[in-house]
Amino acid sequence: MASPATTTANASYSTLCTKHNLALSTNHHFHNNTLRFPSQNPVQIRPLSLSSSPPAKLSVKVSAAVMETSKSSSSSVPTIVDVDLGDRSYPIYIGSGLLNQPDLLQRHIHGKRVLVVTNTTVAPLYLDKVVNALTVGNPNVTVENVILPDGEKYKDMDTLMKVFDKAIESRLDRRCTFVALGGGVIGDMCGYAAASFLRGVNFIQIPTTVMAQVDSSVGGKTGINHRLGKNLIGAFYQPQCVLIDTDTLNTLPDRELASGLAEVIKYGLIRDAPFFEWQEKNMQALMSRDPDAFAYAIKRSCENKAEVVSQDEKESGLRATLNLGHTFGHAIETSYGYGHWLHGEAVAAGTVMAVDMSYRLGWIDESIVERVHNILKQAKLPNTPPEMMTVDMFKSVMAVDKKVADGLLRLILLKGPLGSCVFTGDYDRKALDETLHAFCKS
Amino acid sequence: MASPATTTANASYSTLCTKHNLALSTNHHFHNNTLRFPSQNPVQIRPLSLSSSPPAKLSVKVSAAVMETSKSSSSSVPTIVDVDLGDRSYPIYIGSGLLNQPDLLQRHIHGKRVLVVTNTTVAPLYLDKVVNALTVGNPNVTVENVILPDGEKYKDMDTLMKVFDKAIESRLDRRCTFVALGGGVIGDMCGYAAASFLRGVNFIQIPTTVMAQVDSSVGGKTGINHRLGKNLIGAFYQPQCVLIDTDTLNTLPDRELASGLAEVIKYGLIRDAPFFEWQEKNMQALMSRDPDAFAYAIKRSCENKAEVVSQDEKESGLRATLNLGHTFGHAIETSYGYGHWLHGEAVAAGTVMAVDMSYRLGWIDESIVERVHNILKQAKLPNTPPEMMTVDMFKSVMAVDKKVADGLLRLILLKGPLGSCVFTGDYDRKALDETLHAFCKS
């Protein structure tokens, strides 16, 4: 997994990142850097070390890597964030024009056969480009593709079977590689297909939405929905690499872009107060698609995700905190029907509800509630669930949430100063009821 | 995973096993023993250490464990074979009346909810007994069940979804345990469901057929069939324990019993010549259901399986040798249609074909070919594929076999003295063609 040419240097995070709002210069500061998060760190949920210290005081192990990549006028040297999982470690490449750098992908293809899994929206935009990146100068590799219908409502077993059908009909073998080209739905389905095909083949994530780039493509959570709930069938299965070409965001609709920002905001709230403060100052730049602001937001999000996943791959505790707002959000998605609200929109409303409940429990100051409302407003995200949602709908779906243990629903709630949270089943049921009734008419 | 009361003693295998035909006294010799196979052993395929030495010279690390079990007039102290996979290690309990010893199961149930997955044949015979073993003296545990149709033809995605439906409708959570009660089909499906439900929950194997007891319940291979081939969708996922109550064989039809012996014979051929020789002397005892002979055959098979799996869990090499005859056999099952021949019957015919090909390549003596024919005849297993099979049918299914790598079909073939095999794609294609034509009319 090492870069072909690597020089190593240790530096404290403070030498790279001395101000909260350093985003606009991040391309200069962070190119050529590999950030490694040791997996042996003790698991801490509250307070989280990263969130309770300003970045100027952080000391994160950093090594600099010089990548030998093919040159392209539109390409940059990628930033690399490593997900440290022992023999399942992998790099996240982040940068502009990375799909024009074939060796980034090709170094992770071990056999001769590749299956690109994508959808009807993304295929016309990027499929040819990805096939070219996989095959240019590499005549031994042949690429098949399967183009699925677009949308969360197709993240089901019937659609998954189309991937298996294509793989088997194409006579792919255990040395093949699946490539997920698309947003979170494609990444989750392709990853689960890769985990299950012939009991496991290699796969690569090429996320093309903010949601997938900052969250779902990293960390190995794969799966499909069941009619009774989201992501109930799946696997923990890590990719060989994640390649984030930030240029793919140029074709992303505004609403999809905003949806992904819900997950960016999440990292700030649960563990990275300086990142939240940076977002408060830079949300307008993000909404106007400032590339440097986006490069920083993606990198900082991936670092947060990588650090959490490295410490708790299978979600025995810490990792669950990444689901702030998701238990409420999944209930909205499942009850309202896929296709009406985007995932991040449901998560945004769910985050407001989790924050409301945290405040009712007396665990956070009113100022945090206000700041959450304000930042979601700036990102044009909902701050209340759809009107049709009832208390019973929430309770019914939340009862089958994966965070239920022996009948007890555990939730991610904010507690303490900005950037601190808990994952707990130890809360007053009255507060949950009050929150549900405050946000539902019946 | 340690027994509640364990005393440890090292002894060479020779002190426990000094003759090839020790089976009838095995209950005395092997009760209370835990055999551990270290996973750090180097992978060897040819010659295999166990197969090339008589048992009197073997030195296998053995520790004695005294189990505290509830007493029952019909129960024995279980023999324990450990599958050594680091933090995924687990015990195989083998003995008569083990379903009357509730603590064996209950020590592996970590949450409060259990789902027993079984079929219409096994449920009337053993479901109540298993539910009782799970719940007696353990009122906190509640048990759900899902009863699937019986047969290989139901080992598909539609039937698997019934397990997910039941688990989700019952609101099972991540701390639940799935219990597979039945033969190989139930074990494979329940295991894959457990691997995928909420991205992985605990499961326990209670195999009730010879096939499942000697082979499929051990080692964590789970999965379902695709219309184009067997076991093409699945996962490597290890159980918490395997509980083999040999009394369940009392209700097994003769044909099912013989089918399982195909896998017992396999262990002798690929890696354990003394075991093969023992089988030659004791096949009549096995066919007449001698309990002591069966206890030994199951134990010795599980030891072979555990040793191989401990060295090569994900089948990067050595483990593939357990598929002797299976590539030809899967082609028979897929082409002939599930339900006509049992898995072991197809494997038996496939073994004859693999042995024939090995002989054509000049890799084994004619005497081995004859001994294989003789032992299969004693076990009343087929020594030729069904008449309807054609060369093209074999080739078509074998092309999608999981052992194809970059277009090259690798096979398990015998090579050298009895008990030695290779897993290789380096063979003369002519020999494969000749074998296929020798066994097919067209």
Side-chain angles (χ1 to χ4, degrees), chain B residues 237-252:
Chain B
Y237 197 71
Q238 302 295 342
Q240 306 304 113
C241 75
V242 181
L243 186 140
I244 299 174
D245 186 334
T246 52
D247 294 354
T248 56
L249 300 185
N250 295 338
T251 51
L252 195 67

PDB file of all heavy atoms in Angstrom, chain B residues 237-252:
ATOM      1  N   TYR B 237     -17.386 -16.626   7.326  1.00  0.00           N
ATOM      2  CA  TYR B 237     -17.921 -16.093   8.585  1.00  0.00           C
ATOM      3  C   TYR B 237     -17.971 -17.237   9.596  1.00  0.00           C
ATOM      4  O   TYR B 237     -18.663 -18.226   9.382  1.00  0.00           O
ATOM      5  CB  TYR B 237     -19.317 -15.508   8.341  1.00  0.00           C
ATOM      6  CG  TYR B 237     -19.800 -14.591   9.434  1.00  0.00           C
ATOM      7  CD1 TYR B 237     -19.226 -13.328   9.593  1.00  0.00           C
ATOM      8  CD2 TYR B 237     -20.799 -14.977  10.309  1.00  0.00           C
ATOM      9  CE1 TYR B 237     -19.656 -12.478  10.602  1.00  0.00           C
ATOM     10  CE2 TYR B 237     -21.237 -14.128  11.316  1.00  0.00           C
ATOM     11  CZ  TYR B 237     -20.657 -12.873  11.456  1.00  0.00           C
ATOM     12  OH  TYR B 237     -21.083 -12.028  12.447  1.00  0.00           O
ATOM     13  N   GLN B 238     -17.231 -17.094  10.671  1.00  0.00           N
ATOM     14  CA  GLN B 238     -17.065 -18.197  11.609  1.00  0.00           C
ATOM     15  C   GLN B 238     -18.161 -18.207  12.683  1.00  0.00           C
ATOM     16  O   GLN B 238     -18.571 -17.154  13.170  1.00  0.00           O
ATOM     17  CB  GLN B 238     -15.691 -18.100  12.294  1.00  0.00           C
ATOM     18  CG  GLN B 238     -14.507 -18.101  11.315  1.00  0.00           C
ATOM     19  CD  GLN B 238     -14.363 -19.403  10.546  1.00  0.00           C
ATOM     20  OE1 GLN B 238     -14.902 -20.439  10.932  1.00  0.00           O
ATOM     21  NE2 GLN B 238     -13.638 -19.352   9.426  1.00  0.00           N
ATOM     22  N   PRO B 239     -18.601 -19.416  13.061  1.00  0.00           N
ATOM     23  CA  PRO B 239     -19.591 -19.526  14.148  1.00  0.00           C
ATOM     24  C   PRO B 239     -18.946 -19.351  15.520  1.00  0.00           C
ATOM     25  O   PRO B 239     -17.724 -19.293  15.635  1.00  0.00           O
ATOM     26  CB  PRO B 239     -20.110 -20.961  13.983  1.00  0.00           C
ATOM     27  CG  PRO B 239     -18.948 -21.710  13.416  1.00  0.00           C
ATOM     28  CD  PRO B 239     -18.221 -20.726  12.521  1.00  0.00           C
ATOM     29  N   GLN B 240     -19.806 -19.246  16.544  1.00  0.00           N
ATOM     30  CA  GLN B 240     -19.309 -19.191  17.931  1.00  0.00           C
ATOM     31  C   GLN B 240     -18.931 -20.581  18.412  1.00  0.00           C
ATOM     32  O   GLN B 240     -18.058 -20.732  19.260  1.00  0.00           O
ATOM     33  CB  GLN B 240     -20.380 -18.634  18.868  1.00  0.00           C
ATOM     34  CG  GLN B 240     -20.953 -17.308  18.460  1.00  0.00           C
ATOM     35  CD  GLN B 240     -19.904 -16.251  18.278  1.00  0.00           C
ATOM     36  OE1 GLN B 240     -19.661 -15.791  17.170  1.00  0.00           O
ATOM     37  NE2 GLN B 240     -19.232 -15.884  19.348  1.00  0.00           N
ATOM     38  N   CYS B 241     -19.633 -21.586  17.931  1.00  0.00           N
ATOM     39  CA  CYS B 241     -19.302 -22.974  18.243  1.00  0.00           C
ATOM     40  C   CYS B 241     -20.048 -23.869  17.265  1.00  0.00           C
ATOM     41  O   CYS B 241     -20.981 -23.421  16.581  1.00  0.00           O
ATOM     42  CB  CYS B 241     -19.674 -23.343  19.686  1.00  0.00           C
ATOM     43  SG  CYS B 241     -21.444 -23.575  19.966  1.00  0.00           S
ATOM     44  N   VAL B 242     -19.603 -25.114  17.174  1.00  0.00           N
ATOM     45  CA  VAL B 242     -20.326 -26.140  16.424  1.00  0.00           C
ATOM     46  C   VAL B 242     -20.683 -27.233  17.422  1.00  0.00           C
ATOM     47  O   VAL B 242     -19.803 -27.716  18.139  1.00  0.00           O
ATOM     48  CB  VAL B 242     -19.447 -26.724  15.287  1.00  0.00           C
ATOM     49  CG1 VAL B 242     -20.228 -27.786  14.508  1.00  0.00           C
ATOM     50  CG2 VAL B 242     -18.955 -25.619  14.357  1.00  0.00           C
ATOM     51  N   LEU B 243     -21.956 -27.572  17.496  1.00  0.00           N
ATOM     52  CA  LEU B 243     -22.380 -28.611  18.426  1.00  0.00           C
ATOM     53  C   LEU B 243     -22.887 -29.805  17.622  1.00  0.00           C
ATOM     54  O   LEU B 243     -23.905 -29.703  16.924  1.00  0.00           O
ATOM     55  CB  LEU B 243     -23.466 -28.077  19.365  1.00  0.00           C
ATOM     56  CG  LEU B 243     -23.868 -29.066  20.469  1.00  0.00           C
ATOM     57  CD1 LEU B 243     -24.074 -28.325  21.793  1.00  0.00           C
ATOM     58  CD2 LEU B 243     -25.119 -29.836  20.090  1.00  0.00           C
ATOM     59  N   ILE B 244     -22.149 -30.904  17.698  1.00  0.00           N
ATOM     60  CA  ILE B 244     -22.494 -32.105  16.936  1.00  0.00           C
ATOM     61  C   ILE B 244     -23.025 -33.160  17.902  1.00  0.00           C
ATOM     62  O   ILE B 244     -22.252 -33.784  18.639  1.00  0.00           O
ATOM     63  CB  ILE B 244     -21.249 -32.654  16.187  1.00  0.00           C
ATOM     64  CG1 ILE B 244     -20.732 -31.608  15.200  1.00  0.00           C
ATOM     65  CG2 ILE B 244     -21.582 -33.968  15.495  1.00  0.00           C
ATOM     66  CD1 ILE B 244     -19.418 -31.986  14.506  1.00  0.00           C
ATOM     67  N   ASP B 245     -24.334 -33.311  17.937  1.00  0.00           N
ATOM     68  CA  ASP B 245     -24.941 -34.393  18.720  1.00  0.00           C
ATOM     69  C   ASP B 245     -25.074 -35.581  17.771  1.00  0.00           C
ATOM     70  O   ASP B 245     -25.932 -35.600  16.886  1.00  0.00           O
ATOM     71  CB  ASP B 245     -26.304 -33.948  19.267  1.00  0.00           C
ATOM     72  CG  ASP B 245     -26.895 -34.996  20.201  1.00  0.00           C
ATOM     73  OD1 ASP B 245     -26.555 -36.199  20.058  1.00  0.00           O
ATOM     74  OD2 ASP B 245     -27.706 -34.613  21.064  1.00  0.00           O
ATOM     75  N   THR B 246     -24.227 -36.583  17.969  1.00  0.00           N
ATOM     76  CA  THR B 246     -24.202 -37.710  17.028  1.00  0.00           C
ATOM     77  C   THR B 246     -25.511 -38.495  17.046  1.00  0.00           C
ATOM     78  O   THR B 246     -25.793 -39.245  16.110  1.00  0.00           O
ATOM     79  CB  THR B 246     -23.015 -38.639  17.343  1.00  0.00           C
ATOM     80  OG1 THR B 246     -23.049 -38.995  18.735  1.00  0.00           O
ATOM     81  CG2 THR B 246     -21.690 -37.968  17.034  1.00  0.00           C
ATOM     82  N   ASP B 247     -26.325 -38.312  18.079  1.00  0.00           N
ATOM     83  CA  ASP B 247     -27.630 -38.998  18.112  1.00  0.00           C
ATOM     84  C   ASP B 247     -28.545 -38.534  16.987  1.00  0.00           C
ATOM     85  O   ASP B 247     -29.477 -39.255  16.606  1.00  0.00           O
ATOM     86  CB  ASP B 247     -28.335 -38.747  19.452  1.00  0.00           C
ATOM     87  CG  ASP B 247     -27.585 -39.376  20.620  1.00  0.00           C
ATOM     88  OD1 ASP B 247     -26.584 -40.091  20.365  1.00  0.00           O
ATOM     89  OD2 ASP B 247     -27.983 -39.134  21.773  1.00  0.00           O
ATOM     90  N   THR B 248     -28.308 -37.327  16.474  1.00  0.00           N
ATOM     91  CA  THR B 248     -29.195 -36.836  15.405  1.00  0.00           C
ATOM     92  C   THR B 248     -29.059 -37.674  14.134  1.00  0.00           C
ATOM     93  O   THR B 248     -29.949 -37.652  13.282  1.00  0.00           O
ATOM     94  CB  THR B 248     -28.902 -35.355  15.052  1.00  0.00           C
ATOM     95  OG1 THR B 248     -27.526 -35.227  14.688  1.00  0.00           O
ATOM     96  CG2 THR B 248     -29.203 -34.433  16.231  1.00  0.00           C
ATOM     97  N   LEU B 249     -27.962 -38.423  14.029  1.00  0.00           N
ATOM     98  CA  LEU B 249     -27.803 -39.270  12.841  1.00  0.00           C
ATOM     99  C   LEU B 249     -28.783 -40.444  12.848  1.00  0.00           C
ATOM    100  O   LEU B 249     -29.009 -41.068  11.808  1.00  0.00           O
ATOM    101  CB  LEU B 249     -26.363 -39.785  12.736  1.00  0.00           C
ATOM    102  CG  LEU B 249     -25.282 -38.700  12.625  1.00  0.00           C
ATOM    103  CD1 LEU B 249     -23.916 -39.335  12.415  1.00  0.00           C
ATOM    104  CD2 LEU B 249     -25.596 -37.736  11.482  1.00  0.00           C
ATOM    105  N   ASN B 250     -29.366 -40.732  14.013  1.00  0.00           N
ATOM    106  CA  ASN B 250     -30.320 -41.855  14.099  1.00  0.00           C
ATOM    107  C   ASN B 250     -31.514 -41.663  13.177  1.00  0.00           C
ATOM    108  O   ASN B 250     -32.151 -42.636  12.770  1.00  0.00           O
ATOM    109  CB  ASN B 250     -30.815 -42.032  15.545  1.00  0.00           C
ATOM    110  CG  ASN B 250     -29.676 -42.435  16.469  1.00  0.00           C
ATOM    111  OD1 ASN B 250     -28.656 -42.968  16.011  1.00  0.00           O
ATOM    112  ND2 ASN B 250     -29.835 -42.166  17.754  1.00  0.00           N
ATOM    113  N   THR B 251     -31.835 -40.411  12.891  1.00  0.00           N
ATOM    114  CA  THR B 251     -33.007 -40.160  12.042  1.00  0.00           C
ATOM    115  C   THR B 251     -32.621 -39.868  10.594  1.00  0.00           C
ATOM    116  O   THR B 251     -33.482 -39.499   9.782  1.00  0.00           O
ATOM    117  CB  THR B 251     -33.793 -38.941  12.582  1.00  0.00           C
ATOM    118  OG1 THR B 251     -32.880 -37.852  12.762  1.00  0.00           O
ATOM    119  CG2 THR B 251     -34.458 -39.257  13.909  1.00  0.00           C
ATOM    120  N   LEU B 252     -31.331 -40.019  10.276  1.00  0.00           N
ATOM    121  CA  LEU B 252     -30.874 -39.658   8.925  1.00  0.00           C
ATOM    122  C   LEU B 252     -31.096 -40.829   7.949  1.00  0.00           C
ATOM    123  O   LEU B 252     -30.707 -41.957   8.235  1.00  0.00           O
ATOM    124  CB  LEU B 252     -29.375 -39.308   8.988  1.00  0.00           C
ATOM    125  CG  LEU B 252     -28.791 -38.585   7.781  1.00  0.00           C
ATOM    126  CD1 LEU B 252     -29.364 -37.188   7.652  1.00  0.00           C
ATOM    127  CD2 LEU B 252     -27.262 -38.524   7.889  1.00  0.00           C
TER     128      LEU B 252
END
